[in-house]
Amino acid sequence: MARMMRRWKYQNGVPISGWLIDTLAYQFMRSWSYKDKSFLYHDYMARDFFAFMATQSTTQSYWRAPGSGSNVPTKGNFQRPANNAYALALKAIQQRADGYEWASRQTWRSIFGTTFPS
């Protein structure tokens, strides 16, 4: 998931460090209800992680890294781009459910770039 989110970061110029992505991913995965499922749930995982990131406080200046407890600073507002990606993820999932596989793939590519999905 962290690798996917790095693609999102680079594709959309999101001001978030890889370290913060890893930190938030760790926090998210600890409570995600589908964490015991296979990679076939990657679309739901991305959707839910975008929602998780979008709801992080915009006034918080750092998060605690798991393990070391180091302060992981924010680089800017990543919450708004995460919310935009969440809306697109909802759209892509619905398109796929409606049988519009090509449209779904194009929507995911607007989030992650042309390398996803392969």
Side-chain angles (χ1 to χ4, degrees):
M1 181 178 66
R3 190 175 200 184
M4 288 171 62
M5 294 305 131
R6 281 175 171 77
R7 289 297 319 142
W8 163 72
K9 167 193 167 171
Y10 294 124
Q11 175 69 19
N12 297 282
V14 180
I16 187 171
S17 69
W19 194 16
L20 185 52
I21 288 172
D22 293 344
T23 298
L24 293 174
Y26 178 82
Q27 292 174 4
F28 167 75
M29 290 303 289
R30 289 180 60 203
S31 63
W32 191 51
S33 56
Y34 300 107
K35 66 183 170 192
D36 62 336
K37 302 298 183 208
S38 73
F39 189 70
L40 293 175
Y41 281 68
H42 72 278
D43 50 354
Y44 295 122
M45 179 178 60
R47 175 202 63 194
D48 295 348
F49 187 58
F50 286 131
F52 176 79
M53 287 193 300
T55 61
Q56 297 300 302
S57 171
T58 57
T59 60
Q60 190 167 341
S61 59
Y62 68 89
W63 284 258
R64 292 282 195 186
S68 70
S70 299
N71 292 340
V72 182
T74 186
K75 289 185 164 190
N77 186 322
F78 61 85
Q79 294 87 341
R80 183 174 298 140
N83 194 51
N84 293 340
Y86 172 68
L88 287 169
L90 287 173
K91 179 181 177 183
I93 290 168
Q94 188 59 53
Q95 288 169 325
R96 185 171 181 216
D98 292 342
Y100 299 108
E101 186 66 36
W102 184 86
S104 174
R105 189 175 298 256
Q106 296 310 307
T107 302
W108 282 118
R109 287 181 175 173
S110 73
I111 298 171
F112 294 110
T114 58
T115 59
F116 182 86
S118 58

